Amino acid sequence: MRRTAFFISDSTGITAETLGQSLLAQFENIEFDKVVMPFVDNEEKARRAVDRINDAADRDGAAPIIFDTIVNQEIRAIIGASRGELLDIFSTFLSPLERALGTKSSFTVGRGYSGTRELQYQKRISAVNYALENDDGARINRYGQAEIILVGVSRSGKTPTCLYMAMQHGIFAANYPLTEEDLDHGGIPRPLLPYRSKLYGLTIEPERLAAIRNERRANSSYASMSRCEDEVRMAESLFSRHGIPFIDVTHSSVEELSAKILAETGMREHIR
Amino acid sequence: MRRTAFFISDSTGITAETLGQSLLAQFENIEFDKVVMPFVDNEEKARRAVDRINDAADRDGAAPIIFDTIVNQEIRAIIGASRGELLDIFSTFLSPLERALGTKSSFTVGRGYSGTRELQYQKRISAVNYALENDDGARINRYGQAEIILVGVSRSGKTPTCLYMAMQHGIFAANYPLTEEDLDHGGIPRPLLPYRSKLYGLTIEPERLAAIRNERRANSSYASMSRCEDEVRMAESLFSRHGIPFIDVTHSSVEELSAKILAETGMREHIR
């Protein structure tokens, strides 16, 4: 069975897409053709969207599903007159919210929203720049600015995790790669000593590490199973010995890793 | 007026937080204390969440708002018995969706969801690595792999935009910084000639560019207003002359820029 789903917004469409994807994932037996339509912000674009929705209805022989976060009422009315099944995200929740909060929303009075996320925007971009500049122990003299320092062996996923924390949450995340010397020595590496409370370890299953390293340098001793096993064992033992919390990245996405690390450290419990 | 809002999930909480933030932004006159609680995946954690919800109810003298995407029914029941106002995101939309699709969801039958996003995960991580390795024209020999190449003067926002496209959407995005030589020459820079159809320009208001460059190198000629004005004018003229589409980054976030560029190029109309 095949159905078409539209994510339509007069802005970026991130909310419609995030929620819509989560909901559609609950229907594992249906294959969806998913169409993203951001910035549907005038009547002409809305009418073109309606054409596409009706075309999909003909093709599928069933009503397309529409997830929308359109604020403008006229535009929403046009989409609503299509042959799709409209799940109107904002209005569905705004009535109960208005009741609970005892006040009208700016949506109901016809204004768009300003997006509190903007407030955080400069911090997020600064955090991305910080992550790039402090990647792989490049500038250990700036660890003082870090909110968290991820520690792990080469290719254990430090960089993407730092970047995600920065981009999504505005966290200043640096990272430090454990070298063979660090692992042999077994103590907290000297540049990290002043920042023990900021350290968070990443570990990974040796098989997965070897696979990742092989993509980079095939058949090198760097990518060999025995070397990967040794490094992972020594890194985990270093973390344990010095009370550095750590997490296994093998079966988690960067979203999950970030959320878990931030939840455990309590760094992002209260947000703006 | 001050109210507390909880975003509660038995997974990362990204959906609950994204939707909740969009909805709360519609209530501009209320100051929210926002609390993120991901991975509430057992009854003990649920009971601790209830304690915190009830504490907030006492403190605020009003019911906290709860946005939840908890799949497990027992855990949801515990949260539902708190003194908060529960906006149950999944069940609210799943009934109309089940009706429209004519089938039960795995949520209703008590299973979690596997997340189609995972399918895209390896591509997203590869795209992040690609963006990092192809930043600032570092490896022009790998432009062939790019799906899009962002072009602009130094500090016009190419890197964060590439990284966002990669992280969020799995797009292979490279970038190329226009040098003074490129601008004087006025043609499409030689390394980009084979990839004209992939080029997308970024421009920026000279005042903003000067401010950003000043943060990096204060009072340099690089950051001077006259140099920024010249570079921006020459870059825009290069884009226009060669039919390279371009966008002004000054008043947009990376989310907006990515969404606009991807919408205009039609690169991400159909998603997985």
Side-chain angles (χ1 to χ4, degrees):
Chain A
M1 181 153 62
R2 192 172 182 82
R3 295 290 288 264
T4 308
F6 290 87
F7 307 108
I8 305 185
S9 166
D10 47 8
S11 177
T12 59
I14 291 172
T15 302
E17 185 182 329
T18 304
L19 176 60
Q21 288 272 35
S22 294
L23 290 167
L24 295 183
Q26 308 281 346
F27 296 89
E28 289 162 17
N29 51 337
I30 302 181
E31 205 184 329
F32 291 100
D33 183 11
K34 298 172 189 164
V35 183
V36 181
M37 305 188 80
F39 305 110
V40 175
D41 50 11
N42 63 42
E43 300 192 1
E44 195 206 322
K45 289 187 193 169
R47 276 187 295 268
R48 263 184 286 158
V50 169
D51 288 344
R52 296 196 47 189
I53 294 164
N54 292 344
D55 285 349
D58 287 337
R59 200 174 49 238
D60 297 348
I65 307 296
I66 306 168
F67 297 94
D68 101 276
T69 55
I70 295 171
V71 171
N72 181 292
Q73 313 266 358
E74 284 82 39
I75 294 176
R76 259 170 63 236
I78 296 174
I79 303 287
S82 76
R83 285 159 54 206
E85 185 76 26
L86 189 69
L87 298 184
D88 186 334
I89 297 173
F90 280 171
S91 35
T92 302
F93 284 114
L94 284 172
S95 309
L97 258 183
E98 289 180 346
R99 242 190 342 266
L101 295 169
T103 180
K104 287 278 170 203
S105 68
S106 40
F107 178 79
T108 331
V109 299
R111 259 183 303 143
Y113 67 103
S114 50
T116 42
R117 217 171 142 66
E118 291 308 300
L119 295 172
Q120 277 277 76
Y121 186 64
Q122 272 319 312
K123 174 151 195 239
R124 286 166 50 219
I125 292 300
S126 304
V128 168
N129 288 326
Y130 179 85
L132 291 172
E133 287 163 6
N134 296 275
D135 187 38
D136 251 7
R139 295 198 194 176
I140 53 182
N141 55 332
R142 289 186 60 201
Y143 280 163
Q145 283 179 258
E147 294 174 84
I148 190 164
I149 303 170
L150 299 186
V151 183
V153 302
S154 167
R155 310 303 292 172
S156 56
K158 301 181 296 297
T159 301
T161 310
C162 281
L163 281 170
Y164 187 83
M165 287 183 177
M167 185 81 80
Q168 189 70 15
H169 303 306
I171 301 280
F172 277 61
N175 69 71
Y176 180 91
L178 291 170
T179 62
E180 284 190 286
E181 293 69 43
D182 292 328
L183 294 170
D184 284 337
H185 175 260
I188 291 184
R190 183 171 295 275
L192 300 178
L193 278 174
Y195 311 109
R196 291 180 64 135
S197 62
K198 297 181 182 180
L199 306 182
Y200 207 102
L202 300 187
T203 191
I204 181 170
E205 288 173 7
E207 294 73 18
R208 177 86 192 113
L209 181 62
I212 296 172
R213 288 185 174 183
N214 258 307
E215 277 174 35
R216 178 139 299 211
R217 285 193 235 152
N219 306 316
S220 60
S221 85
Y222 165 78
S224 71
M225 197 51 211
S226 64
R227 167 109 171 245
C228 289
E229 276 173 349
D230 284 351
E231 287 194 20
V232 168
R233 187 178 36 80
M234 288 158 94
E236 290 183 2
S237 128
L238 188 156
F239 298 149
S240 305
R241 201 161 47 240
H242 300 288
I244 299 171
F246 66 99
I247 189 168
D248 189 324
V249 309
T250 313
H251 302 289
S252 297
S253 66
V254 288
E255 286 85 343
E256 288 167 325
L257 293 171
S258 302
K260 281 179 188 162
I261 294 169
L262 297 174
E264 253 188 63
T265 56
M267 282 174 70
R268 216 185 142 261
E269 196 169 276
H270 292 266
I271 59 173
R272 288 212 296 180
Chain B
M1 181 153 65
R2 193 171 183 82
R3 296 289 288 265
T4 307
F6 290 87
F7 307 109
I8 306 185
S9 166
D10 47 8
S11 174
T12 60
I14 290 171
T15 302
E17 186 182 331
T18 304
L19 176 60
Q21 288 273 35
S22 294
L23 290 166
L24 294 182
Q26 307 282 346
F27 296 88
E28 289 163 17
N29 51 337
I30 303 181
E31 206 183 327
F32 290 100
D33 184 10
K34 297 173 190 163
V35 183
V36 181
M37 305 187 79
F39 305 109
V40 176
D41 50 11
N42 63 40
E43 300 193 359
E44 196 206 321
K45 289 186 192 168
R47 277 189 292 270
R48 266 185 285 158
V50 169
D51 288 343
R52 297 195 47 190
I53 294 164
N54 292 344
D55 285 350
D58 286 337
R59 202 174 49 238
D60 298 346
I65 307 296
I66 307 167
F67 298 94
D68 101 276
T69 54
I70 295 172
V71 171
N72 181 292
Q73 313 267 359
E74 285 81 39
I75 295 176
R76 260 169 65 237
I78 296 175
I79 304 288
S82 75
R83 285 159 55 205
E85 184 77 27
L86 189 69
L87 298 184
D88 186 333
I89 297 172
F90 280 170
S91 34
T92 301
F93 284 114
L94 284 172
S95 309
L97 259 182
E98 290 180 348
R99 242 190 340 267
L101 296 170
T103 178
K104 288 279 171 202
S105 68
S106 39
F107 178 79
T108 333
V109 299
R111 259 183 304 143
Y113 67 103
S114 50
T116 42
R117 217 173 142 66
E118 292 307 302
L119 295 173
Q120 277 277 72
Y121 187 65
Q122 272 319 312
K123 174 151 194 237
R124 287 166 51 220
I125 292 299
S126 303
V128 168
N129 288 327
Y130 179 84
L132 290 172
E133 286 162 8
N134 296 275
D135 188 37
D136 252 8
R139 295 200 195 176
I140 53 184
N141 56 332
R142 288 187 60 201
Y143 280 163
Q145 282 180 259
E147 294 174 83
I148 190 165
I149 303 170
L150 299 185
V151 183
V153 302
S154 167
R155 310 302 292 171
S156 56
K158 299 180 298 298
T159 302
T161 310
C162 281
L163 281 170
Y164 187 83
M165 286 182 176
M167 185 81 80
Q168 190 70 17
H169 303 306
I171 302 280
F172 277 60
N175 70 73
Y176 180 90
L178 291 170
T179 63
E180 284 189 286
E181 293 68 42
D182 292 328
L183 294 170
D184 284 338
H185 175 259
I188 291 186
R190 180 170 298 274
L192 300 179
L193 278 174
Y195 311 109
R196 292 180 63 136
S197 62
K198 297 181 180 180
L199 306 182
Y200 207 102
L202 299 187
T203 190
I204 182 170
E205 288 173 8
E207 294 73 17
R208 178 84 193 115
L209 181 61
I212 295 172
R213 288 185 173 183
N214 258 306
E215 276 174 36
R216 179 142 295 215
R217 285 194 236 152
N219 305 316
S220 59
S221 87
Y222 165 77
S224 71
M225 197 51 212
S226 63
R227 166 108 170 246
C228 290
E229 276 171 350
D230 285 350
E231 288 193 18
V232 168
R233 187 178 36 77
M234 289 157 91
E236 290 182 3
S237 127
L238 187 156
F239 298 148
S240 304
R241 200 159 49 240
H242 300 287
I244 299 171
F246 65 100
I247 189 168
D248 188 325
V249 310
T250 313
H251 301 290
S252 296
S253 65
V254 288
E255 286 86 343
E256 288 166 324
L257 293 171
S258 303
K260 282 178 189 164
I261 293 170
L262 297 175
E264 256 188 61
T265 55
M267 283 175 66
R268 215 186 143 260
E269 197 170 275
H270 292 265
I271 59 174
R272 291 213 291 179

